[in-house]
Amino acid sequence: MSEVIAGVRIPDSALAREATELVRDAASPLLYDHSRRVFLFGALRGREQGIGHDAELLYVGALFHDLGLTEGHRRTDQRFEIDGADEARAFLHRHGITGERADRVWTAIALHTTPEVPLRMAPEIALVTRGVELDVLGIGYDAVTEEQRAAVTAAHPRPDFKRRILAAFTEGVQDRPETTFGTVKADVLSHFAPGFVRGDFVEVIRSSPWPE
């Protein structure tokens, strides 16, 4: 029987179970619990807004969205969001899910730190971002009930979450600081990575090879 948390049924297909096992093995308990909360809060926001969605695709998007922060699934030459997106699409392809459905999950993960844009896109893309925003930033906190929040955090606790998630973000991107240019992770490194120098868009324009 599939698990139900805060009235949300966790997908119980073979694909969903394998996704759960993969992420639980690869990620810290902090990131695993966070990713499950992202699914639950995303689904609850979808219900609150009357947005239908493919629960299985939303689940994979939520589970993989921070996989690019983990030791075995990250590169140093691209943004961590793309690492997770690439891993999710490859995982879906192995399960016979290709084309637009796989691309939808890729986009949900790749854009989950980009303000506003994903909220105008397909439901699964928007709801991964809604879940991330609620769990990390508190955006939409009152759009779910106190009882729903309590049920989600009872199943997937968040002890000292604010400090620990910032530490996880720092650890996951500090060896590729140039990939944070123009992203929220530049804010993280400016606080927690000694010697980090934020890229400057104006100076990039001024120092471009164009003579004008």
Side-chain angles (χ1 to χ4, degrees):
M1 179 179 293
S2 61
E3 186 178 11
V4 177
I5 301 171
V8 175
R9 188 173 300 280
I10 304 293
D12 192 36
S13 63
L15 181 148
R17 290 193 300 272
E18 187 175 325
T20 300
E21 182 177 351
L22 187 157
V23 175
R24 188 162 47 201
D25 289 346
S28 65
L30 169 79
L31 290 178
Y32 173 71
D33 284 328
H34 163 57
S35 298
R36 292 264 290 193
R37 290 195 305 271
V38 166
F39 167 74
L40 292 162
F41 286 139
L44 288 168
R45 290 303 314 274
R47 182 179 301 172
E48 173 254 335
Q49 295 183 316
I51 300 174
H53 60 274
D54 183 314
E56 192 173 58
L57 295 186
L58 177 60
Y59 188 71
V60 173
L63 263 287
F64 279 71
H65 86 279
D66 273 346
L67 195 63
L69 296 173
T70 66
E71 185 67 35
H73 299 275
R74 67 184 185 216
R75 294 165 46 169
T76 58
D77 61 337
Q78 63 183 19
R79 290 174 54 165
F80 89 95
E81 300 95 331
I82 296 176
D83 288 341
D86 287 348
E87 291 281 349
R89 184 158 57 188
F91 172 81
L92 291 170
H93 284 181
R94 292 196 298 272
H95 285 267
I97 297 176
T98 59
E100 188 276 333
R101 295 183 72 217
D103 290 345
R104 210 183 314 162
V105 174
W106 189 95
T107 303
I109 298 169
L111 292 183
H112 81 266
T113 60
T114 302
E116 295 191 55
V117 174
L119 303 182
R120 305 301 200 275
M121 302 180 75
E124 297 77 17
I125 300 170
L127 295 179
V128 167
T129 289
R130 289 290 190 198
V132 171
E133 288 180 341
L134 201 164
D135 199 49
V136 178
L137 305 174
I139 297 172
Y141 184 82
D142 292 322
V144 299
T145 68
E146 183 177 351
E147 293 75 17
Q148 288 168 332
R149 291 195 303 270
V152 171
T153 56
H156 295 287
R158 32 179 298 145
D160 196 20
F161 179 72
K162 293 178 182 180
R163 183 192 65 80
R164 293 171 68 219
I165 196 64
L166 287 169
F169 290 157
T170 304
E171 198 278 331
V173 300
Q174 64 185 351
D175 59 348
R176 43 178 160 175
E178 68 285 349
T179 70
T180 69
F181 177 71
T183 81
V184 295
K185 293 302 183 284
D187 294 340
V188 174
L189 293 186
S190 71
H191 279 268
F192 301 110
F196 173 70
V197 178
R198 184 192 296 271
D200 187 315
F201 180 64
V202 172
E203 291 307 317
V204 172
I205 293 174
R206 286 174 172 168
S207 62
S208 83
W210 287 102
E212 299 89 347

